[in-house]
């Protein structure tokens, strides 16, 4: 049995995509089984579901976590490939595609708002992250996904593949740091991963968080090809996850990171 572009569109409409939507997806092409037309049929089918006026996007991450193998200076927004799979790489190489200029967390997109989505990645207010303070900045595709309440999809993969979780982690850490007296911000920020120089960060488990979000009724499951489409809107994804993290950080953080939070709280109360 094969899956067609029309099948993809119907599955996304059934899951809740409407005209004018921005759809961000992570996915495994192999999980779908045989797809007529290959990867292009998948994201064109998503675009059909979001039309007219829709946009389809994927994370086209180049940086592999090793600054010696992938110095950020070598990133080329036009040519650097992504390691995030055939669907994302095919979309990146599509002549219709626009890509944001971030060595660590670029996004590629096709459709009505593709240029708007990918423009000026890293501008505006900076937010902390292990890669750079611009990766999830106020002006970035990740922030725009939240602002636009984008449809966030997982095709045959779980939410351990959720790049948006790093935007959420950035917001979580920023709120904690902003609760400090301003003169102590840099002291505590510099204890965390920064500029690809360490891995000391919250990094909450995405699949376990998906289970918590499902318990709240926020995750949709829809058959698609030979696999399952998991989906959630970005506003409830971000807001519910932040609420869960702040309510019980000890459950979601490593012991070392939780001790950092406790030391920050002590500094705040002094």
């Amino acid at each position: 049995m094969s899956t067609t572009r029309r099948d993809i569109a119907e599955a996304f409409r059934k899951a809740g995509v409407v005209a004018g939507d921005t759809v961000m997806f992570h996915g495994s092409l192999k999980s779908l089984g045989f797809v007529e037309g290959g990867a292009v049929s998948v994201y064109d089918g998503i675009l059909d579901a979001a039309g007219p006026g829709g946009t389809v996007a994927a994370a086209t991450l180049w940086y592999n976590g090793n600054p010696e193998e992938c110095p950020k200076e070598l990133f080329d927004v036009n040519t650097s490939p992504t390691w995030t799979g055939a669907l994302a790489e095919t979309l990146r190489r599509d002549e219709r595609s626009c890509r944001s200029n971030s060595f660590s967390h670029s996004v590629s997109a096709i459709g009505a708002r593709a240029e708007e989505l990918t423009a000026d990645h890293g501008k505006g207010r900076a937010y902390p992250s292990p890669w750079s303070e611009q990766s999830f900045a106020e002006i970035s595709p990740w922030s725009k996904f939240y602002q636009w309440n984008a449809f966030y999809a997982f095709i045959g993969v779980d939410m351990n593949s959720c790049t948006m979780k790093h935007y959420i982690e950035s917001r979580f850490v920023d709120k904690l740091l902003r609760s400090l007296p301003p003169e102590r911000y840099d002291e505590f920020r510099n204890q965390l991963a920064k500029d690809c120089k360490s891995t000391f960060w919250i990094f909450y488990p995405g699949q376990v968080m998906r289970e918590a979000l499902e318990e709240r009724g926020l995750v949709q499951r829809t058959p698609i090809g030979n696999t399952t489409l998991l989906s959630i809107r970005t506003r409830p994804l971000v807001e519910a996850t932040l609420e869960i993290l702040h309510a019980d950080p000890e459950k979601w953080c490593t012991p070392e990171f939780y001790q950092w939070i406790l030391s920050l709280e002590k500094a705040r109360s002094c």
Side-chain angles (χ1 to χ4, degrees):
M1 180 178 176
S2 63
T3 299
T4 66
R5 172 174 169 173
R6 181 176 179 178
D7 294 331
I8 299 293
E10 289 179 352
F12 272 80
R13 290 191 189 103
K14 184 176 180 180
V17 171
V18 297
D21 257 339
T22 294
V23 179
M24 165 65 195
F25 75 88
H26 300 284
S28 163
L29 181 60
K30 289 182 179 179
S31 73
L32 290 163
F34 178 74
V35 179
E36 294 181 14
V40 178
S41 290
V42 176
Y43 58 77
D44 274 350
I46 299 171
L47 196 59
D48 291 343
T55 304
V56 60
T60 47
L61 314 184
W62 169 78
Y63 180 68
N64 71 355
N66 187 330
E68 294 181 358
E69 291 181 6
C70 290
K72 61 183 179 181
E73 295 80 11
L74 295 185
F75 174 73
D76 187 310
V77 69
N78 295 311
T79 62
S80 293
T82 180
W83 52 262
T84 51
L87 286 171
E89 176 65 1
T90 305
L91 188 150
R92 180 193 73 82
R93 297 179 60 153
D94 193 299
E95 63 181 9
R96 299 167 292 171
S97 181
C98 303
R99 188 185 197 184
S100 71
N101 194 3
S102 168
F103 81 93
S104 64
H105 287 84
S106 72
V107 167
S108 293
I110 295 172
R113 303 186 77 179
E115 291 187 13
E116 180 185 2
L117 176 66
T118 57
D120 300 322
H121 192 153
K123 294 188 177 180
R125 175 181 166 184
Y127 281 94
S129 90
W131 301 277
S132 80
E133 310 300 270
Q134 287 71 49
S135 297
F136 301 99
E138 179 184 22
I139 301 176
S140 69
W142 307 102
S143 181
K144 292 169 188 174
F145 289 142
Y146 170 69
Q147 294 163 14
W148 299 355
N149 198 24
F151 184 94
Y152 208 104
F154 303 84
I155 305 169
V157 296
D158 208 331
M159 287 179 66
N160 54 345
S161 300
C162 181
T163 307
M164 195 75 183
K165 75 184 284 291
H166 300 313
Y167 169 79
I168 296 169
E169 292 164 349
S170 182
R171 291 271 304 269
F172 175 76
V173 171
D174 182 74
K175 184 175 181 179
L176 292 174
L177 290 170
R178 297 290 174 185
S179 71
L180 288 165
E183 64 272 15
R184 303 206 68 178
Y185 180 99
D186 287 343
E187 172 192 348
F188 279 84
R189 173 66 188 98
N190 291 335
Q191 294 171 12
L192 302 178
K194 188 177 185 180
D195 296 330
C196 305
K197 293 179 180 178
S198 82
T199 57
F200 184 49
W201 195 252
I202 174 175
F203 294 129
Y204 71 83
Q207 183 171 332
V208 181
M209 184 61 75
R210 185 264 300 158
E211 294 168 0
L213 295 171
E214 276 193 306
E215 289 177 3
R216 294 187 174 207
L218 298 176
V219 179
Q220 173 96 2
R221 288 178 175 266
T222 308
I224 186 169
N226 290 347
T227 191
T228 299
L229 169 65
L230 299 177
S231 59
I232 186 171
R233 289 283 173 177
T234 46
R235 278 194 176 272
L237 167 62
V238 172
E239 292 167 4
T241 303
L242 285 172
E243 179 186 324
I244 290 167
L245 292 175
H246 284 293
D248 192 1
E250 186 174 11
K251 175 180 177 180
W252 296 97
C253 302
T254 64
E256 294 77 13
F257 197 89
Y258 184 62
Q259 287 302 311
W260 177 85
I261 293 176
L262 294 179
S263 68
L264 181 146
E265 291 176 348
K266 184 178 180 179
R268 186 174 59 207
S269 62
C270 291

